[in-house]
Structure formats: C-alpha cells, structure tokens
Amino acid sequence: MSVGIEKIGFYTAPYYIDMVDLAEARNQDPNKFLIGIGQKQQSVIPPSQDVVSMAANAAETILTEEDKKTIDMIIFGTETGIDNSKAASMYLQSLLGISDYARAFEVKQACYGGTAGIQMGINYLALNPDRKVLVIGADIARYGLETPGEVTQGGGAVAMLLSSNPTVLALDGKSAFYSKNIMDFWRPNYTKEARVDGHYSNDVYVDFFNRTFNQYLDRYNKQVTDFDALVFHLPYPKMGVKALRTVVPQEEENNPLWVEFNHSKLYNSLVGNLYTGSLYLSLISLIANSKTIPAGANIGLFSYGSGAQGEFYSGVLGEFDRKLLKQSVDQQINRRKRLTITEYEQMYRSGLKETADLSINYSDDDSRFVLKGRAKDKLIYLDQVTGEDK
Ligand code: HMG
C-alpha cells in the first residue's frame, strides 16, 4: 500500500510588490534582488489575512464535502501562531466544516512544521488506510522595513490532503534528518519580526542539506542521478541554487536536475518566503510548470527549519490533472494588485496593531475567508460566501 499527497492547494494574499520598486526605494541595484537573491515579486499580507484565513482559503481549493467527512487529523504547521495556547487548526476545522471527530493541533519548528505534519500523517495512514489527513503549511514572513531580510519576506498557505490514494506524490518512507540547537533565525515572543543572522543561516542551511542528503544516499545506497528532480525549502530562490551547486556543479546547467530546479523556483520567485509552505510551493511549481517531468519521476525534497532541523526525503510523482493545479495557482498569483512601496509600508505597519478589540477593514479583500477583527481578545473570521462569522 502506498500513502502520500492526494491533493495540494495554494493561497496567497491579493497584493504584491515588485522587487525593482523595492530596490529603487531602498537605494539598491535591482540586480541584487533579481539576480543575487532571485526574487521578482513578493506577496504582501494585509491585516485581513492571517495563517488561519490563508489556510482555509488554500484548503477550500482542494477539499470536497466527502474529503471533509474522512479527515481524521488536521495538522497545522506554522511559526506565525495566532494564540499562545489555542491551535490555528481549531479555527480551521470550524471554518471548513471538517468533522468534529478529528484530531486538530499545531506543529512548530520554524519552516519545518509542515514536513513534521506530513511524516506524522503518513504514519497514521499506514495504520488507517481508509482515512485522510489534512496538513497545512501557512506563514507570514516578516523581517522589518529597510532590513536586509526585507527582500525575502512574503506569505501564503499550502494545504495538502494525505491519503492512501497519493495521486500527487507517493512517499516511499525513505528519509534522513538532522537537528541542532543553533541561533540562525528566531522569532522572540514580544515581536512579529524575525531575528536573523542572515549569512550564517545560509551556511547552516547548506550544511544541513549536505548532511541529510549524504546520509540519505548512504542509508539507501543511492546516488544523485537516481533523482529526476530535487526540490528545496526556498526562503528565496538563490538559496536553492547554493544548495544544488554543492551536489551538481553549476557548469552542468543542462543537467536535468538544474532544468527541473528552474521550474521549481518559478512560483517562489513571485510569492517570496512562506516559511512552512515554501518547500511545498516549490513542489507545486515543479509539477505545475515542468513539461519534462513525467509521472513516475523520483523527487527528492529538502526541508529546513531554522533553529535548526533539516530533513531530506523522497517520493514518486503520481498522475493527476496538473493543468488544473497550474490554473488555480496562476489565478492566485495573477489576481494580486500591485502596491506602491508607500502603500506596502502602510499595510505592513497596520499589521502590527495588538489590541483586545480591533475592527479590520476587509472591503478590498475578495478572498473567501478573512479575519474581521478581535472582540474582547477573541479572533473573528468571516466566510464571505455564507456570510457566517466564526
Ligand atoms: P544581504 O547581506 O543584504 O545580501 O542579505 P548579500 O550582500 O549577501 O547579497 C546577496 C546576493 O546578491 C549575493 O550573492 C551577492 O553577491 C549578490 P551570493 O554571494 O549569495 O551568491 N549581489 C548581486 N548580484 C547581482 N547584481 C548585483 C548584486 N549585488 C549583490 N548588483 C540575506 C541577503 C539572504 C542574508 C538577507 O536577505 C537575509 O537575512 N534574509 C533572511 C534569512 C534567510 O532567508 N536565510 C536563508 C537560510 S535560513 C532558512 O531558510 C530558514 C528561514 O526560511 C526561516 C525558518 O526556517 O523559519 C529563513
């Protein structure tokens, strides 16, 4: 019996900034952002979206009523928690109308939370093959205005339905992981902005990739040529280039792994970092944009969460309607409104308000699920299709 990803869906907020505009506003050479970082655009998350509403919007693109009845677990990977106690998955369950007879909880380890959810989910399905598991990776990446990390911000959500009918990606259970207590990137409780030792974080990422990839090759007696594509956690596209170079030297640009990598970074270069969702947006980007990667292809996935945890694992690409996936993601990305840098800065600052009662203006946000505000410290979400508050 095989288990893995049966469906995958994506959501990002309805605004973006162009990296040339940002470079000009920050007195930087645009090529630093476009080539040096590899970023073209960046999604901007308004106050009317948080990880719960983004996750609900992503999940709604894939789930049927039948799926909702069969989901036994909702595992929410995020490092942008909405409460110090209550898991984002509780709100998600009610927004989506998933059965109450489900386990619902949140997983945190920086950008690794979604991968932890997938590994937990497939173990459950191995024992319960007639059930389904919903895994979410949703985050908002914030470093602060006029910081070196600003060009690597972004946000969004990826929703994955796991089952024993893995039409997107069958997971073969092969995996290698490595963790160590280090300070490359962290988010203190008193602020929404990340603290980061940027160049050190790049070095640790590559080190963890090399350790887990080599451990995987040794453990399963494999070599790099056994893979048809390698996809990476992409905090920004150049990071994947730095990692891939260490196993397939840059000179070999016609190598299929480089060709497929270029497909896998397309969407990320338009959305930016979405932390837990970034690896899975890259997987979507590969399968939606590559015309050369066939069903049956062997895919290697590198997951990295600062702090730090790395995992390299593998799966086999299934057969499903890739055109439909591409249409849905292209629609998400193309519908976004371009903001000026001044508009972005205003939106960014308004996302910092922390008061017990808060009314959020969502009139420009046509996403199905939005955050309306807070009343006596309780978050209120709105389903704009049914008109219901949750
Ligand atoms: P920086 O220091 O401003 O940039 O910040 P730089 O000086 O290192 O330049 C960046 C690149 O642009 C360099 O290329 C330059 O040579 C090039 P590289 O040497 O890296 O190949 N460059 C140019 N190229 C063309 N034309 C030009 C030009 N000028 C320069 N004119 C940094 C960059 C990434 C450090 C910063 O944005 C940052 O701190 N970002 C956040 C941290 C991050 O994303 N780290 C990634 C690894 S950690 C991770 O993935 C985990 C994470 O997702 C969090 C989590 O797990 O929760 C972040």
Side-chain angles (χ1 to χ4, degrees), residues 29 32 36 79 110-111 148 185 199 201 233 235 238 242 273 306:
D29 180 346
K32 175 175 175 184
E79 54 165 281
C111 301
F185 164 107
H199 293 114
S201 74
H233 163 57
K238 181 71 166 291
K242 287 173 190 273
N273 199 352
S306 282

Side-chain angles (χ1 to χ4, degrees), residues 61 69 107 109 127 134 137 213 222 224 241 289:
T61 66
K69 287 185 202 141
V107 176
Q109 184 4 70
L127 295 173
L134 178 63
F213 186 60
K222 298 260 184 204
V224 65
V241 174
N289 293 308

Side-chain angles (χ1 to χ4, degrees), residues 53-273:
S53 57
M54 293 197 297
N57 286 314
E60 202 51 43
T61 66
I62 55 169
L63 298 184
T64 62
E65 290 310 309
E66 200 46 44
D67 292 330
K68 291 178 187 177
K69 287 185 202 141
T70 335
I71 291 173
D72 269 4
M73 284 210 273
I74 308 165
I75 310 179
F76 203 121
T78 187
E79 54 165 281
T80 317
I82 40 92
D83 190 288
N84 279 333
S85 165
K86 187 166 173 164
S89 50
M90 311 316 301
Y91 293 101
L92 185 64
Q93 180 184 32
S94 95
L95 283 174
L96 295 173
I98 292 173
S99 162
D100 290 349
Y101 290 93
R103 282 187 188 137
F105 54 94
E106 198 173 296
V107 176
K108 179 171 73 178
Q109 184 4 70
C111 301
Y112 175 75
T115 301
I118 288 180
Q119 298 300 352
M120 215 181 296
I122 60 168
N123 288 339
Y124 181 79
L125 293 171
L127 295 173
N128 302 277
D130 55 340
R131 308 302 295 168
K132 297 191 181 192
V133 174
L134 178 63
V135 176
I136 301 291
D139 275 300
I140 302 170
R142 291 173 73 105
Y143 294 90
L145 302 175
E146 300 184 40
T147 61
E150 186 178 27
V151 63
T152 65
Q153 294 181 154
V158 175
M160 292 168 279
L161 186 67
L162 310 187
S163 79
S164 54
N165 178 29
T167 43
V168 175
L169 192 73
L171 298 177
D172 53 20
K174 296 188 173 77
S175 171
F177 30 85
Y178 182 81
S179 56
K180 205 166 187 67
N181 179 16
I182 54 146
M183 299 303 282
D184 62 330
F185 164 107
W186 64 104
R187 298 173 88 178
N189 276 347
Y190 65 85
T191 170
K192 285 190 175 177
E193 261 103 42
R195 300 290 179 263
V196 63
D197 189 342
H199 293 114
Y200 177 55
S201 74
N202 291 346
D203 295 344
V204 177
Y205 174 115
V206 173
D207 177 46
F208 275 45
F209 168 62
N210 289 142
R211 285 175 190 273
T212 55
F213 186 60
N214 289 325
Q215 193 194 30
Y216 178 100
L217 297 185
D218 284 352
R219 186 178 283 176
Y220 302 108
N221 199 18
K222 298 260 184 204
Q223 36 198 334
V224 65
T225 47
D226 288 327
F227 292 99
D228 299 296
L230 295 177
V231 288
F232 296 88
H233 163 57
L234 286 184
Y236 58 95
K238 181 71 166 291
M239 199 61 241
V241 174
K242 287 173 190 273
L244 186 54
R245 260 182 200 160
T246 65
V247 292
V248 186
Q250 183 80 33
E251 298 75 64
E252 299 173 31
E253 283 236 356
N254 288 330
N255 181 298
L257 290 177
W258 277 103
V259 174
E260 300 307 349
F261 171 75
N262 288 332
H263 294 127
S264 76
K265 68 179 185 184
L266 282 176
Y267 288 149
N268 302 67
S269 73
L270 302 175
V271 174
N273 199 352

